Amino acid sequence: MPTRFTPALDTMSSALADSVRPLLTAQFDGTFSASQLAEFALNSRLTRQELYVALLTLAATLANPPISQFRVGALAIGASGRLYMGANLELPQQALGHSVHAEQSAISHAWIKGETAISDIIVNASPCGHCRQFINELYQGQSINIHLPAQDVAPLSHYLPYAFGPSDLGINAPLLQNSGAALAYTTNEPLYQHALIQAGRSYAPYSACHAAVVIEMRTGEFVVGRYAENAAFNPSLMPMQMALSLMNIHRLDYQDMIRAVLVESNAGQISLFAMSRCALASVADIELEYLSVSPS
């Protein structure tokens, strides 16, 4: 079991810790299935709300906040019933706008692994306005249940009344459900092929800058980040930050990155290259490869 989870397990009841501990192997991917959650609840005799709050301590251990030193964990429950962990990420020496909030981390984790809707968000600190707006970009965002320690469960509409969202800008296929865009480029390079597919799955209804980052690790594993725009613009999540957040969740070392590529549509009104290169340079000594492609 990765030792970083030991302090979190020590905060749990022995029954819950004994159920969770065998799953926290080196291969643990930061998720629990619906059936595993049901088993945890049965063994620990906790309600779902109590169980979710108890599991937050595991997510918080994945946080990487060198600037604030404030660790936030979040959990997203997908439509499948699977739980996805997220945690806050700050990049050293970089502007605070490069940060990834825990709720964004958990939601993007679920998105990359195939979820198309989120039913519940659990977080150990009240969602800031930035995160409330980000959650509102999701399918039926106002109905998503927000769980906080020692508070009653309430929908996002309680935390974000009179919300401004995708429908106000004429967007009817929100984040996680948008079909993306087809991009045209022929290459035999596996890293670029993968990035092209992921860029096509990105969410850029406001700028048309469909984009994705793919990072190749020494093991040959690819880590993905997609661009996720927001109706309020500033809560948009950059693909490089999403990829680095997923690296934290999967406990991968920045120093094991060997290549990184950004693919983006040349039909977009903006470019993510400068911000992506800056973020990468703060954690690794590799150059960002870049591919600008046309819509097909």
Side-chain angles (χ1 to χ4, degrees), residues 169-192:
L169 294 178
I171 302 302
N172 298 314
L175 180 61
L176 274 66
Q177 295 208 333
N178 190 288
S179 59
L183 301 175
Y185 190 84
T186 301
T187 176
N188 293 320
E189 168 61 66
L191 183 68
Y192 288 10

Side-chain angles (χ1 to χ4, degrees), residues 180-181 183 194-203 210-212 226 263-264:
L183 301 175
H194 196 53
L196 280 162
I197 292 170
Q198 296 301 325
R201 295 172 180 169
S202 65
Y203 178 73
H210 291 278
R226 301 177 190 141
V263 170
E264 69 179 9

Side-chain angles (χ1 to χ4, degrees), residues 13 22 45 69 86 99 121 124 134 138 146 148 171 190 200 228 232 237-238 249 253 257 268 276:
S13 69
R45 298 188 178 182
Q69 300 299 316
S99 302
I121 297 287
N124 60 351
F134 191 82
L138 299 170
I146 306 298
L148 292 165
I171 302 302
L237 182 56
M238 301 295 111
I249 291 168
D253 194 322
M257 292 188 280
S276 299

Side-chain angles (χ1 to χ4, degrees), residues 104 129-135 137 228-238:
Q104 290 180 308
H130 179 102
C131 290
R132 297 177 196 195
Q133 183 66 47
F134 191 82
I135 296 167
E137 196 75 20
E229 285 190 333
N230 189 274
F233 284 24
N234 282 347
S236 300
L237 182 56
M238 301 295 111

Side-chain angles (χ1 to χ4, degrees), residues 145-168:
N145 294 314
I146 306 298
H147 303 245
L148 292 165
Q151 293 193 38
D152 293 336
V153 179
L156 181 66
S157 58
H158 171 78
Y159 293 92
L160 189 67
Y162 311 109
F164 180 86
S167 61
D168 293 294

Side-chain angles (χ1 to χ4, degrees), residues 69-276:
Q69 300 299 316
F70 184 66
R71 306 179 75 89
V72 183
L75 310 173
I77 309 300
S80 68
R82 182 172 286 273
L83 176 152
Y84 300 85
M85 294 184 181
N88 61 321
L89 168 69
E90 299 160 3
L91 299 185
Q93 307 298 316
Q94 295 301 319
L96 298 181
H98 283 277
S99 302
V100 179
H101 296 223
E103 296 92 326
Q104 290 180 308
S105 173
I107 290 166
S108 60
H109 186 191
W111 186 30
I112 291 295
K113 289 186 174 168
E115 292 287 351
T116 58
I118 301 295
S119 63
D120 298 77
I121 297 287
I122 306 94
V123 63
N124 60 351
S126 184
C128 67
H130 179 102
C131 290
R132 297 177 196 195
Q133 183 66 47
F134 191 82
I135 296 167
N136 193 54
E137 196 75 20
L138 299 170
Y139 173 68
Q140 296 185 343
Q142 287 280 288
S143 299
I144 292 173
N145 294 314
I146 306 298
H147 303 245
L148 292 165
Q151 293 193 38
D152 293 336
V153 179
L156 181 66
S157 58
H158 171 78
Y159 293 92
L160 189 67
Y162 311 109
F164 180 86
S167 61
D168 293 294
L169 294 178
I171 302 302
N172 298 314
L175 180 61
L176 274 66
Q177 295 208 333
N178 190 288
S179 59
L183 301 175
Y185 190 84
T186 301
T187 176
N188 293 320
E189 168 61 66
L191 183 68
Y192 288 10
Q193 288 176 334
H194 196 53
L196 280 162
I197 292 170
Q198 296 301 325
R201 295 172 180 169
S202 65
Y203 178 73
Y206 311 112
S207 73
C209 184
H210 291 278
V213 161
V214 175
I215 297 170
E216 183 177 0
M217 308 301 293
R218 293 190 192 282
T219 59
E221 177 181 359
F222 288 157
V223 181
V224 172
R226 301 177 190 141
Y227 185 36
E229 285 190 333
N230 189 274
F233 284 24
N234 282 347
S236 300
L237 182 56
M238 301 295 111
M240 181 63 74
Q241 279 79 348
M242 187 183 294
L244 296 178
S245 172
L246 287 169
M247 286 186 63
N248 275 332
I249 291 168
H250 295 148
R251 305 177 308 285
L252 301 175
D253 194 322
Y254 292 149
Q255 301 310 308
D256 288 334
M257 292 188 280
I258 60 172
R259 292 180 68 191
V261 62
L262 167 68
V263 170
E264 69 179 9
S265 170
N266 59 22
Q269 300 180 69
I270 60 174
S271 174
L272 309 182
F273 176 69
M275 192 169 187
S276 299

